Each structure stands twice: as structure tokens, then as C-alpha cells.
């Protein structure tokens, strides 16, 4: 069984949740209590987890053991849950034999907790620990993943879901997590390691797999109540493959949140998710629900089956009409940052600047594995894209002048975008990752309200590694 709901997705031993009472044993917490008596209510305000990254065996199909790199031996990693405005603490230990970090994707985080090695923290070396601790001010569907050599570490399984809950949400049996991944497996179900780092993949659409899993399983059965509304939180954890899902047997499927942020409910033409994106979907009545289908290749594949169960068929009055994390900003005096994306196979980039010198793309590809550029420069953590001041309204004016789609992600902020991802009609939504088609131009508009050095990169992780990334600086 591969049902992953907050109810059944239990954490392994040693991954306890600390209650507020335990926290208050510490003297620092007592001071907080004395200073802000109004902030503490009867609900918990602190959640603690531990994560260990380690080589582990996993079964996609209940028979063969596949060697992966996992958090707490789980695929996906354990569900991390908190309530809105909690302080989340994750004690992390690296038991891999290479350095790593954890990035909390979609959390408008403290910069020093953002988990980008050599930019926001030193990488966590093998055997070392690092404690991530940060407040979660937004409720929604997020995730966490390795951010060092992510093209390899995420491909090997280092990621998991993170849900921040809002008081008054749906009960656990109606709130269902669907984590999709695309694995490159050999016939013996071991990871195809030979193609990790393959330049052909890096210059094309990234490393695509051949085996789709939902919640770490092939074709799992997902329990749902026998009738009434359900909420599906769908996450694309694939390195490079965009998915298009369909849910058979249902007449009304609405999108209610994009990348965690609530949006006015709408009926999509397709449930599309680029790598790293999330959508929350509301199905008003699940009494005729069938299968979860994936259709991005033009053919419909059943990827999971829903099974209705008659227990606990309680219907409540749940509030699902959240507001976006923040309103569309005023564009008067906005700072415009032009980002011209070039490179890759069948592209128009002949040469680019890398570490101060302009070199032919062919040479950069062969000697440096660099293939993509922003504004004529191969990207990386040292490429500064913009200097912003706190409070600025910023427009990233992005032009995908390549032959490939790209899933563009901004750290530390959500941005507004006129999205054509769900239908040909434009829809202005708030997200942290935008799937851009070849030739597309888009304005990503955000309030620079979070100080620090923030990465902006393609979440097709091979593209990121091959130069499609840079830094936006927000100074106080
Ligand atoms: Cu989910 Cu920089 O990434
Ligand atoms: Cu890309």
C-alpha cells in the first residue's frame, strides 16, 4: 500500500514531534513566553523533526530492492507538517559520502536557512549535522530537497513533502498527498547511473526517466472517502519531466492553490506541473472517482488508482477559500530586470562568458559541462542578476529564447505571473516556479520583501547545473 495522507504517512522511529510543553522547558522559550503572552495559544507553536540522508534500499513494487539515497530511509522522505506560524526545526544529519544541504522549496524563508551551499551556508559534509530552524508564515503545499549536486542527489531520491496547515482545513482522510516522480531505471529496477551527468540530457530536456511513481510506488492504490469533497496536493518531484495529470470519473476538478498559494478556484483544461511545481486540486464529489492518469506523452497512462472506502464519511464546512500570500503589487516604479535565456541544443548561443572569459559554447560544453546562459553569461552562484533594495517591486522580464521548456524557480519569494500553463487563456497567479515554453516571454513580478542572496534558476536540475541560474540580491 502506498497511501500517503497525513493520517497514514507515519514517521519512522526517532522522528518525534516536540510539543510546546517540551520546548518551554528551555529558558529561551520562557523568555519568549514572558515577552509575548498573546502569541501562545493552546495549539502547538513549535514542531521538530530529524532527517538523516543515507544510502537506503527501497521497493517501488514490493519485490525488488532498489538502492537509493533517501531521507530516513523513506521514498519520498517523511512528510513534514506544521501549522501556519509554527517554528519548524529540522535536525539534519548527512550520512552520505558527499556534501549536501536541504532547501525548503517554496518557503519564504530566512536566507541563512535556505539551504544553498556556498551561497547561504557551507555544505553539510559527510558525518556532519546542521539544524534548520525557521518560522513558516504561509500555509500550503511545499517540499524539501537536496540542493548540492541536486541533479544527482534528487534523482537518487533525496526529497520529501512539507505541508503547512491552516486551522479549519479538511480532515486527514480528505486531504491527500500525491508526489509524482520520474525515475530512470534499468530492467533490474536499479537506478540507471550511467546517464547521470550525460551531456546529451543536459543540453536537451534534462534527464528524463522511464518509470513513473506516485508516493514512491508503481501504480499505488489511494484511499479516499466514499463521497464528498477531497483535496489533492500534487507535487512534481521529477528532475526534468513536466507532467500532465487527469482524474478519470470526476466531472468537476478545480485548482485551488498553485505552489502553495491559494488562488481563486478555476477549472483547468489540464493539470500541468513542471518540475518542482505543486497544485492543490479540489474535487467536489469523489463518489465516482476513477484513476489518476498521466498524459504528457500524448498517451494516457494509469499511474494510481483511487479506492473509495465508506468509513468516516463526515462532511464538514471546510474553508478552502484562502487568499494568495500577497496581493499583486503596484507596478509604478517597479524595477525591471531583463533575463535573456539562451543555450542548449538547437539554440542560438554561439559563445558565452564563463569566469570572465568569452568562449565558444562547444568548448564550454566539452570542457566545463556548461550549456546555458542568462544575458550571455554562463550562470552560477557568482552570477549576479540584480541588486534590489528591500521593499522594491521587481519584474523579472524573462525571455525563453531556447528550444526547450524551462521550469523557472525563485528562492525566498513567490512571484505573480500571467500563466498559460493550465489553458490557453491567461490567468494571473502567484507561484514560486513557472513552466515556460520555448520562445515564451513572461514577467515574474514580486515584492522584494525578504533580505538576502536568492537563487533564480531552472528546476530542470541538469539545466541548473549546466549554467541556468543566477543570484538576485535583496539588501536592507
Ligand atoms: Cu527546489 Cu533551488 O530549488
Ligand atoms: Cu531548464
Amino acid at each position: 500500500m502506498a497511501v500517503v495522507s497525513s493520517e497514514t504517512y507515519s514517521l519512522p522511529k526517532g522522528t518525534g514531534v516536540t510539543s510546546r510543553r517540551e520546548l518551554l522547558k528551555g529558558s529561551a522559550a520562557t523568555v519568549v513566553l514572558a515577552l509575548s503572552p498573546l502569541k501562545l495559544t493552546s495549539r502547538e507553536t513549535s514542531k521538530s523533526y530529524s532527517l538523516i540522508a543515507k544510502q537506503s534500499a527501497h521497493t517501488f513494487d514490493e519485490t525488488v530492492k532498489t538502492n537509493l539515497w533517501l531521507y530516513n530511509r523513506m521514498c519520498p522522505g517523511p512528510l513534514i507538517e506544521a501549522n501556519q506560524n509554527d517554528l519548524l526545526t529540522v535536525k539534519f544529519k548527512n550520512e552520505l559520502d558527499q556534501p549536501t544541504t536541504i532547501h525548503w522549496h517554496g518557503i519564504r524563508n530566512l536566507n541563512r536557512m535556505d539551504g544553498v551551499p556556498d551561497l547561504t551556508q557551507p555544505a553539510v559534509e559527510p558525518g556532519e549535522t546542521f539544524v534548520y530552524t525557521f518560522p513558516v508564515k504561509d500555509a500550503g503545499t511545499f517540499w524539501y530537497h537536496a540542493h548540492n549536486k541536486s541533479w544527482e542527489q534528487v534523482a537518487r531520491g533525496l526529497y520529501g513533502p512539507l505541508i503547512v496547515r491552516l486551522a479549519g482545513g479538511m480532515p486527514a482522510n480528505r486531504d491527500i498527498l500525491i508526489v509524482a516522480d520520474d525515475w530512470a531505471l534499468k530492467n533490474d529496477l536499479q537506478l540507471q547511473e550511467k546517464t547521470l551527468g550525460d551531456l546529451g540530457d543536459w543540453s536537451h530536456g534534462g534527464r528524463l526517466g522511464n518509470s513513473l511513481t506516485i508516493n514512491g510506488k508503481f501504480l499505488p492504490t489511494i484511499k479516499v472517502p466514499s463521497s464528498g469533497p477531497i483535496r489533492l496536493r500534487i507535487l512534481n518531484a521529477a528532475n526534468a519531466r513536466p507532467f500532465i495529470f487527469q482524474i478519470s470519473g470526476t466531472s468537476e476538478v478545480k485548482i485551488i492553490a498553485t505552489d502553495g498559494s491559494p488562488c481563486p478556484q478555476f477549472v483547468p483544461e489540464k493539470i500541468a506541473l513542471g518540475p518542482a511545481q505543486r497544485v492543490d486540486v479540489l474535487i467536489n464529489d469523489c463518489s465516482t472517482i476513477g484513476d489518476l492518469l498521466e498524459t504528457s506523452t500524448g498517451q494516457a497512462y494509469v499511474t494510481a488508482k483511487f479506492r473509495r472506502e465508506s468509513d468516516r464519511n463526515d462532511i464538514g464546512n471546510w474553508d478552502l477559500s484562502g487568499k494568495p500570500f500577497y496581493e499583486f503589487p503596484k507596478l509604478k516604479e517597479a524595477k525591471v530586470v531583463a533575463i535573456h535565456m539562451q543555450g542548449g541544443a538547437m539554440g542560438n548561443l554561439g559563445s558565452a562568458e564563463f569566469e570572465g572569459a568569452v568562449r565558444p559554447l562547444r568548448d564550454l560544453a566539452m570542457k566545463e559541462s556548461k550549456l546555458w546562459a542568462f544575458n550571455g553569461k554562463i550562470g552560477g552562484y557568482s552570477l549576479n542578476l540584480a541588486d534590489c533594495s528591500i521593499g522594491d517591486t521587481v519584474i523579472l522580464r524573462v525571455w525563453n529564447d531556447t528550444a526547450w521548456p524551462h521550469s523557472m524557480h525563485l528562492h525566498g519569494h513567490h512571484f505573480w505571473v500571467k500563466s498559460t500553463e493550465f489553458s490557453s487563456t491567461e490567468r494571473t497567479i502567484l507561484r514560486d516556479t513557472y513552466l515556460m515554453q520555448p520562445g515564451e516571454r513572461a514577467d515574474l513580478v514580486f515584492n522584494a520583501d525578504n533580505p538576502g542572496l536568492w537563487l533564480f534558476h531552472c528546476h530542470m536540475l541538469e539545466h541548473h547545473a549546466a549554467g541556468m541560474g543566477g543570484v538576485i540580491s535583496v539588501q536592507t
Side-chain angles (χ1 to χ4, degrees), residues 343-468:
M346 293 169 275
N348 56 15
L349 184 69
S351 60
E353 188 182 316
F354 179 63
E355 292 174 347
V358 177
R359 291 160 61 180
L361 189 65
R362 205 190 144 69
D363 181 56
L364 290 167
M366 301 317 287
K367 298 197 183 119
E368 318 283 355
S369 298
K370 297 296 178 191
L371 295 142
W372 305 91
F374 285 153
N375 302 335
K377 294 179 177 168
I378 301 290
Y381 297 160
S382 57
L383 175 64
N384 177 277
L385 294 170
D387 286 307
C388 309
S389 305
I390 194 105
D392 281 354
T393 299
V394 182
I395 302 175
L396 300 181
R397 185 151 288 166
V398 189
W399 174 19
N400 177 6
D401 192 15
T402 79
W404 304 91
H406 300 285
S407 208
M408 303 310 297
H409 171 47
L410 176 63
H411 282 222
H413 301 77
H414 273 58
F415 51 77
W416 286 95
V417 59
K418 286 182 180 155
S419 164
T420 46
E421 296 159 297
F422 305 105
S423 69
S424 43
T425 332
E426 268 178 8
R427 195 169 291 279
T428 307
I429 53 172
L430 193 64
R431 12 190 19 154
D432 60 45
T433 308
Y434 182 59
L435 181 62
M436 293 188 80
Q437 296 306 317
E440 184 176 349
R441 295 168 189 261
D443 277 359
L444 313 181
V445 180
F446 67 100
N447 259 340
D449 59 0
N450 197 358
L453 297 175
W454 301 106
L455 211 54
F456 175 68
H457 67 92
C458 181
H459 223 287
M460 274 111 174
L461 297 171
E462 296 77 16
H463 293 174
H464 173 34
M468 195 171 265

Side-chain angles (χ1 to χ4, degrees), residues 9-298:
Y9 201 120
S10 55
L11 295 167
K13 279 202 190 90
T15 314
V17 172
T18 312
S19 69
R20 176 168 68 93
R21 183 170 299 133
E22 282 172 66
L23 177 82
L24 290 178
K25 285 179 193 155
S27 54
T30 314
V31 173
V32 172
L33 180 68
L35 289 178
S36 51
L38 292 177
K39 275 218 103 175
L40 291 174
T41 61
S42 58
R43 72 182 179 85
E44 291 178 338
T45 57
S46 174
K47 289 274 191 313
S48 300
Y49 289 88
S50 341
L51 289 179
I52 297 175
K54 195 181 168 67
Q55 188 175 331
S56 312
H58 174 73
T59 60
F60 292 117
D61 68 344
E62 310 299 345
T63 58
V64 179
K65 281 194 161 72
T66 303
N67 291 314
L68 300 175
W69 297 355
L70 300 175
Y71 293 117
N72 298 6
R73 300 180 177 279
M74 295 171 74
C75 172
L79 171 62
I80 292 187
E81 282 182 289
N83 294 313
Q84 189 174 24
N85 294 321
D86 276 351
L87 183 71
L88 182 62
T89 299
V90 180
K91 193 168 175 237
F92 171 59
K93 176 138 199 255
N94 179 10
E95 293 188 8
L96 304 170
D97 55 18
Q98 59 174 248
T100 189
T101 54
I102 306 180
H103 170 57
W104 312 91
H105 185 119
I107 299 290
R108 297 194 286 160
N109 212 332
L110 306 171
N111 193 253
R112 64 181 188 279
M113 292 295 150
D114 197 44
V116 180
D118 305 323
L119 186 69
T120 68
Q121 69 169 103
V124 185
E125 296 296 327
E128 280 185 2
T129 57
F130 186 89
V131 180
Y132 291 94
T133 178
F134 50 89
V136 285
K137 60 179 175 179
D138 300 313
T141 308
F142 305 103
W143 65 306
Y144 59 94
H145 61 78
H147 212 295
N148 188 41
K149 284 180 81 184
S150 55
W151 54 272
E152 174 176 13
Q153 296 190 354
V154 174
R156 289 183 184 274
L158 288 170
Y159 65 85
L162 165 57
I163 296 181
V164 181
R165 298 199 185 275
L166 197 64
M170 279 183 167
N173 66 324
R174 296 187 180 277
D175 191 329
I176 293 155
L177 183 57
I178 293 182
V179 181
D181 198 359
D182 169 47
W183 303 83
L185 301 178
K186 298 183 292 185
N187 287 340
D188 62 1
L189 297 190
Q190 295 307 313
L191 216 65
Q192 175 61 265
E193 291 181 310
K194 217 174 53 202
T195 56
L196 281 168
D198 179 84
L199 268 201
D201 288 349
W202 287 33
S203 61
H204 290 69
R207 184 166 178 270
L208 300 176
N210 52 17
S211 307
L212 197 153
T213 57
I214 298 295
N215 301 336
K217 297 289 175 190
F218 298 142
L219 201 60
T221 300
I222 297 173
K223 259 196 298 181
V224 295
S226 60
S227 65
I230 55 171
R231 174 191 196 132
L232 304 179
R233 299 175 185 262
I234 311 178
L235 152 65
N236 181 352
N239 270 42
R241 188 184 290 281
F243 292 124
I244 298 175
F245 288 107
Q246 263 173 27
I247 298 156
S248 69
T250 50
S251 51
E252 205 189 49
V253 173
K254 285 185 195 154
I255 290 184
I256 60 171
T258 50
D259 295 342
S261 175
C263 57
Q265 302 184 0
F266 68 94
V267 178
E269 273 163 33
K270 54 184 184 191
I271 306 172
L273 291 104
Q277 290 186 321
R278 292 85 64 214
V279 289
D280 289 28
V281 159
L282 175 68
I283 295 168
N284 260 326
D285 180 14
C286 66
S287 62
T288 55
I289 195 167
D291 300 326
L292 180 70
L293 308 170
E294 206 285 317
T295 65
S296 63
T297 56

